[in-house]
Amino acid sequence: MYRYHLLTGAASCLLLSASAFAQEREASTPQRTRPDTQVAIGGGDIVVTASAMARSTANVLTSIDILSGDVAQRQNVDHAWELFARLPGVVLTDFNQGTTSGRFSIRGFNGEGEINAVKLLIDGVPSNDNAGRMDFIDLVSPLDIASVDLVRGTSDPRWGLHAIAGSAKIKTRTGGTYLDARGIVGAFGTLDAQLSAGIETGRLSQNYLLAYRRTEGYRAHADLDRLNFAGKWFYALGSVKLGVIVRHGRAEADEPGYLTDADAYTERRRSYAVSETDGGTRRLSQYSLHLDADLASRLSLTATGYANSIDDDRYVRFSADVAQQRRLTDEQQYGVVTGLHWHAADWLMAEAGGDVQWQHNRSLRWTTDRRAIVSATRDQDFDLTVGGGYAQAIVTPVHWLTVTPAWRIDRVAGRYTNRLNGISYPLNDYGTISQPKLSVALTPITGITAYGNYGRTFQIGAGSGAFIVPPRIRDVEPSINEGLEAGMKLAQGRWLTARAAVWQQVASGELRRRLNDPSGEFDNIGKTRRRGFDLEISVRPVSSLSVWASWSHQKAVIRVADPAAPLTTGNEIDHVPRNVYTAGVEWAPAALPWRASLWGNGQSSYALNTANDQGRYGAYLQITAELAYRVTRAIEALAQVRNLTNDAYEYVWYDGTQRLHAPADPRSVFAAIRTRF
């Protein structure tokens, strides 16, 4: 029945479109405007223009949330992925294990690392590792963020690899002349200092970031020490803008490990002796060249070339029953991203683009005893090349109707050598991965946008899982995600914004990485279905007061199980909470120096495995309270209480023999000073 309503909603949009087109050709046509499906989180209005640049989020008709720089820059977080707590419908997975701290996920996917379903972009640069993890997000510090775009669903043609459920684009500050600094001190020996600066003189702009964070952590043996640097130089020459961005980050951290059922609720700060040498060092670098050009009054070009590197060296022991491991990841990534946007007429825009990513990767593992190597269990050397292209049209035959057909194709190539035995293996012949997409939006009256979309995205194996390694003797096809969405957005001036959407994604032959498998193999969990609905509202009854709330309901199930695990048919996919919610209120009167806010996010419980036989865990409600005072026009002091209600929440997983727990931070207090010139 749910599917019937979802399909009916999407079909209704298409039927209405066809009917309207037949009645078109009025004597005088009103000015055509782009439909708006985006919702802003802080920072004022979203301006949607008809002549958006190539690869712009404004050209995508799906559920999009934009976190403003004003909100992002205020946040006090150990890791940048935690910023996504402010966005609706986002599930946060908090491992709280040193540099492997956690990640975010959307649309019924979990953050376990088995399937990483969100494409991450930092200033337009693809920033996932080979398996889709988001390690590069550690290069970003809150004070340097200009905005975050979260694009949901399968209808966006701009990205292929890793964009199974959508994409997240972090845009950092470029241009302008400013000096912005913030210092934070607080619970668990936390010390944080960030400096973001901009110098713009004539055609040249320079922007810099220097950020340092140190904390002892709530739990024993949980120290973190991280330093980030970024430099951005852009030069404008007429209608052409050239830029260079350099980023480096280094983090060292201890890992407290996981607690058993016996200790998880009585000794939450404890770290077992088996974890006392766990921890690691992560070094990240990102270099990119940027070109944006208006080739003509209606034609724009964007191009980015980049090089990424990851050097991650980690020691981890999950429990007393297993040996410690050393895990070394060394990835070198190079790529080019391009897009050409043509504003052909008042009613027609066209866009074409492509991207290619070359990777050279090493993945090594050893069993160790207190960081002394015992034996090698993995030495993989592999190259992977993924290239794709897309074309889309944005057609507005009448002022209230927009139709966006698009098509994307991707191809994959690579080689793999197991250096433990010297044998090389061929890549799966994935063929040409075809991804048709279609979006329709109607704006019957000002302030109301109804939209529906359809699209396909894909998943391939990660690491050695992308190759034909015995006992596999034949090619594994890509897993195809087929998605539908229907939604409506209401915007009434600055005082009310609301959006509702229903969605579904069905995957064929979904692949799940075996996270602790020495060979890096995968399981096929079968045909899966994810579906849900999203509701969000933001109200500003007066200029000084804003209130917001969101609720996402979702369910991810195995429709047709792999023959190796037939009893999982109909079961829920692990670590996917059915409900995710956010809410908050902020009071910031312009005539007074005070600003106060109270906001929170939470989720319901999840199953720990696909057998659904280990109970449900992970429910939480985390509330943050802030009080800020403007000492002068340039200086603001802030006091913050995180986890105000002292909710004893946790992350829990099942290793096949026992449940293992990672307690989150209790109530904690912080103070900050921010200066802006």
Side-chain angles (χ1 to χ4, degrees), residues 631-647:
V631 181
T632 69
R633 293 187 62 181
I635 300 175
E636 181 182 70
L638 179 141
Q640 181 188 76
V641 182
R642 297 176 63 179
N643 194 6
L644 182 66
T645 61
N646 205 31
D647 187 14

Side-chain angles (χ1 to χ4, degrees), residues 331-355:
E331 293 194 11
Q332 308 297 321
Q333 304 177 356
Y334 310 92
V336 177
V337 178
T338 63
L340 187 67
H341 186 84
W342 180 35
H343 194 179
D346 230 15
W347 58 274
L348 174 64
M349 288 182 281
E351 184 168 306
D355 55 271

Side-chain angles (χ1 to χ4, degrees), residues 1 30 94 111-112 365 406 470 490 630:
M1 181 62 70
D94 188 359
E112 296 300 289
R365 290 190 183 182
L490 171 65
R630 292 194 307 274

Side-chain angles (χ1 to χ4, degrees), residues 20-190:
F21 188 76
Q23 300 171 31
E24 167 221 353
R25 303 306 171 211
E26 305 161 2
S28 78
T29 304
Q31 171 116 17
R32 292 171 171 84
T33 57
R34 291 296 314 281
D36 178 12
T37 63
Q38 304 174 13
V39 172
I41 313 298
D45 300 328
I46 299 172
V47 179
V48 180
T49 63
S51 57
M53 288 287 291
R55 287 188 171 268
S56 170
T57 303
N59 296 327
V60 181
L61 300 179
T62 188
S63 294
I64 300 170
D65 284 287
I66 300 178
L67 181 69
S68 74
D70 177 60
V71 173
Q73 291 160 22
R74 288 194 242 146
Q75 303 306 302
N76 168 30
V77 294
D78 285 332
H79 306 276
W81 59 265
E82 298 173 72
L83 296 170
F84 286 79
R86 289 297 304 263
L87 291 163
V90 175
V91 174
L92 300 183
T93 301
D94 188 359
F95 306 124
N96 197 18
Q97 300 298 315
T99 57
T100 305
S101 57
R103 57 182 63 94
F104 67 91
S105 55
I106 58 174
R107 288 281 160 105
F109 287 86
N110 64 37
E112 296 300 289
E114 301 157 326
I115 306 169
N116 295 285
V118 180
K119 183 78 168 182
L120 176 65
L121 295 313
I122 301 175
D123 287 327
V125 175
S127 299
N128 301 81
D129 74 354
N130 171 264
R133 293 187 301 259
M134 304 174 186
D135 298 346
F136 284 106
I137 201 170
D138 288 346
L139 286 169
V140 177
S141 297
L143 200 63
D144 198 38
I145 292 177
S147 65
V148 178
D149 297 1
L150 184 62
V151 180
R152 297 178 175 82
T154 60
S155 65
D156 182 358
R158 298 173 299 166
W159 307 108
L161 183 66
H162 305 315
I164 303 170
S167 66
K169 182 178 75 172
I170 300 175
K171 187 178 187 308
T172 65
R173 297 164 80 169
T174 57
T177 298
Y178 61 89
L179 180 64
D180 197 346
R182 187 178 68 173
I184 302 172
V185 295
F188 323 125
T190 298

Side-chain angles (χ1 to χ4, degrees), residues 233-288:
W233 302 270
F234 282 82
Y235 187 78
L237 185 61
S239 60
V240 177
K241 188 175 184 180
L242 299 170
V244 177
I245 299 178
V246 174
R247 289 190 171 89
H248 293 288
R250 184 181 187 277
E252 292 186 17
D254 297 326
E255 297 193 22
Y258 294 94
L259 301 178
T260 63
D261 285 343
D263 299 320
Y265 307 112
T266 57
E267 298 185 72
R268 291 173 59 83
R269 302 195 73 168
R270 183 177 178 182
S271 177
Y272 297 141
V274 297
S275 300
E276 65 184 7
T277 59
D278 287 358
T281 302
R282 176 176 292 170
R283 298 176 179 87
L284 303 168
S285 296
Q286 188 172 84
Y287 310 88
S288 56

